[in-house]
Amino acid sequence: MHVQPSHPPRPAQGPADDAPDGPRRAAWQRDLVRSLALALAAAPLCLGIALAAGAPPRAGLVAAAAAGLVVAGLGRAPFRAGGPAVALVAVTAELTQRYGWRATCAITVLAGLAQVALGALRVARAVPVVAPGLVHGALAGLGVTVALGQLRRVLGVEGTEASTLRNLAALPGDMAHPWLRGVLVGAATVAVLLVWRRLPSRAGRWAKAVPAPLAAVAVVTAASTGLPLPRVELSGWETHALPGLPSGSVLAMASAVLGVALVAGMATLAPEDGGRRPERPDRELICHGAATAVSGLLGGLPVAGGTLPPGGPADGDRPAVSRTSLALYGLWVPLGAVLFATALERVPLVALSALVMAAGVRLVGYAHAHRPRDRAARVGYPVAFAAVALFGVVPGLAVAAVVPVVMAVRKSARASGATAGGQRDHGEGSGCPDRPDGHERTVRRNLTEHRHRSGPSERAGRRPVPAPPPGIASPAFRPWTSWRHHRFTRPDSEPVGGPGGRQLIGGVSAFQRETAPLVRDELARLAREGQSPSQLFLTCADSRLVTSMITSSGPGDLFTVRNVGNLMPPPGADTSCDSVAAAVEYAVEVLRVGSITVCGHSGCGAMQALLETDPRPPAARSAPAGGSGTAAGPETPLARWLRHGRPSLARMQRIGRLGRGEVALADRPVADDIERLALVNVMQQLDHLRAHSCVARRVAEGTLHLQGMYFHVGEAQAYVLDQRSRTFAAVRPEVLDAV
């Protein structure tokens, strides 16, 4: 565990702090500060994106307001604050040049409705799984197009091309005769962006309170006072004309709507710089699609989630924000534009162009750093990058989509050939074990999938991809090969455990020989970077629960706490039980996990002991249960620990007396009292978790999610708790999205 300095203890709280309004007031203060930081970070880029897209400056501010107010009104926290996206600049600029602004607004409305439809069809979760290389390659291509276009504006070109090729062809001539004043202002803007977060000592601490884009624009505006430069004009806040449908073929219209919807969706579903993906991608797509439609109706740009620039408190370690801060952010942006219109109209246009150019370069770097590492994505990424940069979004994605299709056909052909070869080599009755290289292929494949899901750039909001059932897996991928046959590797004469722990040492030796060479690079990366798990997993110490297997997780994914009965002592319990609370505090406050899962299981010995009333071993059962010990013998550590499970037992007994079915399984009856108590215990431990102050605060902020799980060992079936209906629903591959 990579230990970081712990937080200093809080001073004793007075009566005023214990009042019910204390936490609520603190949450409001946090929301207010964060919303102001978001608005200050977004305002300069909103103006710059509108300028780059050929739209009125107000269009960017309208989009930011719609992103805050509509998403906060429709969604449930946590959501990522959004606004007009840099990736949409080239698409919107081309539409504005071709159809005019009113028609572009109509296309924006239709694109938003298309996003809502795609979200309702639950396609959002499949995007990063089906075509990750295409998504990141397309974003990189769009970033290059934006950066080149804005570079030409900094060099003094009034109107730039939407084509990367034409911009590249014209760039040498532009650089031969640059607009020196604009180049100086643009270079100064980029310089402030680069050094603002790197200021040393006390100045650096003060700088972190101001977003870098705002600081760059403010510094350049002040320095350029008196120079003859084109500046922002915020006229035109009067009621605008309603969007008008463009004239042209239906196919061209559909292509334009599809292009805006695809780019906005890709930008919304892409992970943050910290690697976190949206926790509810389908709902996120629906909400931001609705915001796009409203924005277009009011004369604004398309909206995408997670588009705010870094540089201040807005880019802290929690990209998701609460509903209150999101709504306030949507109010501050247009309100600030009205109150500070005079100051905004002093901003040089070339500074905004430099700001968008830097954002385009950052988009390219982001997409390249987050590109998937598997073979198909390695091929699809450069193809999508080049095709989108050269031909535009819809034609480019159509060209790039051929790559995964071809790769899938080739993979299917190889798998069929391998299966046929495997049947010839290991026919019925051969009794041959797996081939020696099967383990190596399994580990390499599992490691590749782990890196794809949870590399250095992905830490939260992700969904593990379930392995194919063993019955249909090809010999190229045999899940849990070494684990399935571990019993057969021990000589019959060797007792379980073996003299001197030979079985354990033998397993370690097999790891060093077969697995360590394959995972060494991945573990070396984790050793360098430190751990950054996305989830805390609290479960029982039962040896049959292999957490990495049932969650399809790998090194660095889960921060796991195991104890007898998956118990979470409530605050104020016996101080000798602080170990679990300490682990929870470390995961919540230091590691900043996004969710905590409490997982019970079938056949739990702790639940059975609780039901037997006297949970101690037979040698100590002459002592009264719950006492501190008698002449017959002291109470054992196990008995003292199981005291923390008595609230679960009392809760189940109370349910029985009142005749209420508080807990249930969705697709079958509860088998017996042991299973019923295990299910109730999961719910009770979730309540104990909520009683801890660090957990309660993060849950109130909307940055921490608690969930319950139950694993039936004999069925190899996991169940997830719906906390509203108090029902545990079976997790099925075909209903993964619903869960």
Side-chain angles (χ1 to χ4, degrees):
M1 182 169 64
H2 179 64
V3 179
Q4 301 181 13
S6 61
H7 297 278
R10 294 185 178 182
Q13 295 179 334
D17 295 326
D18 295 332
D21 291 339
R24 192 174 305 169
R25 187 182 304 111
W28 263 99
Q29 291 173 349
R30 286 192 298 269
D31 289 338
L32 180 62
V33 171
R34 185 154 177 80
S35 64
L36 286 171
L38 291 170
L40 292 175
L45 195 60
C46 291
L47 294 172
I49 289 175
L51 171 69
R58 67 159 190 246
L61 303 174
V62 169
L69 295 173
V70 176
V71 174
L74 294 180
R76 290 176 295 179
F79 275 100
R80 300 189 298 176
V86 175
L88 281 157
V89 166
V91 181
T92 311
E94 184 178 3
L95 294 177
T96 304
Q97 292 174 6
R98 179 180 300 180
Y99 298 113
W101 177 239
R102 283 188 61 202
T104 301
C105 289
I107 292 173
T108 299
V109 173
L110 295 176
L113 297 177
Q115 282 182 260
V116 172
L118 292 173
L121 293 174
R122 297 183 179 273
V123 302
R125 293 188 188 275
V127 172
V129 176
V130 174
L134 267 64
V135 171
H136 293 83
L139 291 177
L142 290 167
V144 167
T145 304
V146 171
L148 283 175
Q150 297 313 298
L151 175 60
R152 294 190 64 203
R153 284 181 179 267
V154 171
L155 292 172
V157 179
E158 285 293 333
T160 60
E161 302 285 348
S163 167
T164 303
L165 282 178
R166 289 195 288 268
N167 281 329
L168 278 174
L171 192 58
D174 300 334
M175 298 182 71
H177 305 283
W179 178 35
L180 293 179
R181 191 178 297 137
V183 171
L184 290 175
V185 172
T189 304
V190 175
V192 175
L193 281 174
L194 292 176
V195 305
W196 188 253
R197 298 283 293 191
R198 296 173 176 83
L199 293 176
S201 188
R202 181 177 299 177
R205 291 195 295 270
W206 281 102
K208 291 180 181 179
V210 180
L214 178 64
V217 170
V219 169
V220 171
T221 301
S224 64
T225 301
L227 293 178
L229 292 169
R231 300 184 186 269
V232 174
E233 295 181 3
L234 285 178
S235 58
W237 282 96
E238 67 276 359
T239 304
H240 73 286
L242 292 175
L245 290 177
S247 58
S249 65
V250 176
L251 183 60
M253 270 281 297
S255 176
V257 170
L258 182 61
V260 174
L262 285 177
V263 177
M266 288 188 297
T268 297
L269 300 177
E272 294 276 353
D273 278 349
R276 298 178 175 90
R277 293 187 182 275
E279 293 187 7
R280 303 180 182 92
D282 292 307
R283 191 169 182 84
E284 190 109 22
L285 193 62
I286 291 173
C287 291
H288 283 97
T292 294
V294 172
S295 176
L297 196 62
L298 298 177
L301 292 169
V303 169
T307 57
L308 289 187
D315 72 302
D317 56 353
R318 299 188 303 272
V321 296
S322 67
R323 176 182 289 186
T324 303
S325 59
L326 198 58
L328 289 174
Y329 152 71
L331 289 173
W332 296 140
V333 172
L335 184 61
V338 173
L339 295 178
F340 302 102
T342 303
L344 290 175
E345 289 179 342
R346 298 179 183 272
V347 176
L349 296 182
V350 68
L352 298 180
S353 296
L355 200 66
V356 178
M357 179 186 69
V361 172
R362 178 172 170 262
L363 180 60
V364 177
Y366 151 82
H368 185 72
H370 289 70
R371 70 192 188 283
R373 309 292 179 177
D374 63 286
R375 183 179 179 185
R378 285 201 306 268
V379 177
Y381 173 84
V383 173
F385 171 78
V388 170
L390 296 177
F391 308 124
V393 178
V394 176
L397 287 177
V399 171
V402 176
V403 174
V405 174
V406 173
M407 297 293 290
V409 171
R410 290 184 59 191
K411 183 177 178 181
S412 177
R414 286 200 306 269
S416 300
T419 303
Q423 291 172 349
R424 289 193 299 268
D425 293 340
H426 306 286
E428 183 179 356
S430 66
C432 295
D434 292 326
R435 290 176 289 180
D437 61 346
H439 174 71
E440 179 176 346
R441 286 196 301 270
T442 298
V443 175
R444 289 191 186 279
R445 172 69 178 270
N446 286 336
L447 186 56
T448 299
E449 290 187 353
H450 165 66
R451 283 174 173 167
H452 171 61
R453 292 194 315 270
S454 58
S457 63
E458 294 189 23
R459 295 299 179 207
R462 58 184 180 269
R463 295 286 182 177
V465 181
I472 63 172
S474 70
F477 178 41
R478 292 176 177 171
W480 298 99
T481 300
S482 59
W483 175 79
R484 285 192 299 175
H485 301 295
H486 78 288
R487 292 183 181 275
F488 305 121
T489 61
R490 186 181 69 247
D492 293 338
S493 59
E494 180 78 23
V496 176
R502 291 182 184 176
Q503 182 189 4
L504 179 63
I505 299 302
V508 174
S509 176
F511 166 79
Q512 295 296 153
R513 181 177 63 254
E514 300 171 359
T515 307
L518 306 176
V519 301
R520 187 168 285 119
D521 290 344
E522 178 72 4
L523 294 179
R525 180 187 65 78
L526 290 171
R528 289 192 307 270
E529 299 176 0
Q531 64 169 332
S532 182
S534 63
Q535 303 180 43
L536 167 62
F537 199 80
L538 173 59
T539 190
C540 186
D542 193 292
S543 62
R544 297 166 294 180
L545 264 68
V546 184
T547 57
S548 59
M549 179 177 69
I550 66 176
T551 60
S552 299
S553 57
D557 285 343
L558 298 182
F559 189 76
T560 305
V561 176
R562 305 184 69 151
N563 60 54
V564 175
N566 48 273
L567 301 177
M568 176 70 242
D574 186 357
T575 56
S576 63
C577 300
D578 278 348
S579 174
V580 181
V584 170
E585 180 183 359
Y586 183 82
V588 171
E589 297 285 21
V590 179
L591 298 178
R592 308 296 298 179
V593 296
S595 69
I596 302 178
T597 300
V598 177
C599 180
H601 69 98
S602 62
C604 182
M607 301 301 105
Q608 183 175 357
L610 285 168
L611 287 170
E612 291 175 354
T613 306
D614 193 346
R616 293 167 295 165
R621 286 189 179 178
S622 56
S628 60
T630 66
E635 188 179 32
T636 66
L638 176 61
R640 289 196 298 271
W641 172 253
L642 287 178
R643 290 177 185 173
H644 302 298
R646 292 178 184 172
S648 301
L649 180 62
R651 182 173 184 167
M652 188 186 80
Q653 293 170 343
R654 184 172 64 254
I655 294 170
R657 288 196 304 270
L658 297 177
R660 297 184 305 184
E662 183 177 354
V663 65
L665 293 167
D667 52 357
R668 66 172 177 84
V670 177
D672 50 32
D673 282 346
I674 295 179
E675 184 170 65
R676 180 173 288 103
L677 181 56
L679 298 173
V680 171
N681 184 60
V682 169
M683 300 168 61
Q684 184 66 36
Q685 303 315 312
L686 288 173
D687 289 348
H688 289 176
L689 267 171
R690 294 186 187 94
H692 286 264
S693 59
C694 61
V695 175
R697 175 174 50 81
R698 289 279 310 278
V699 170
E701 292 173 357
T703 60
L704 181 65
H705 174 64
L706 306 185
Q707 61 186 10
M709 181 181 293
Y710 174 74
F711 185 75
H712 194 286
V713 177
E715 298 174 354
Q717 178 62 60
Y719 297 81
V720 174
L721 172 64
D722 181 345
Q723 299 190 44
R724 290 191 179 87
S725 63
R726 297 173 178 176
T727 301
F728 288 79
V731 179
R732 310 288 187 193
E734 63 272 14
V735 294
L736 182 61
D737 287 349
V739 175

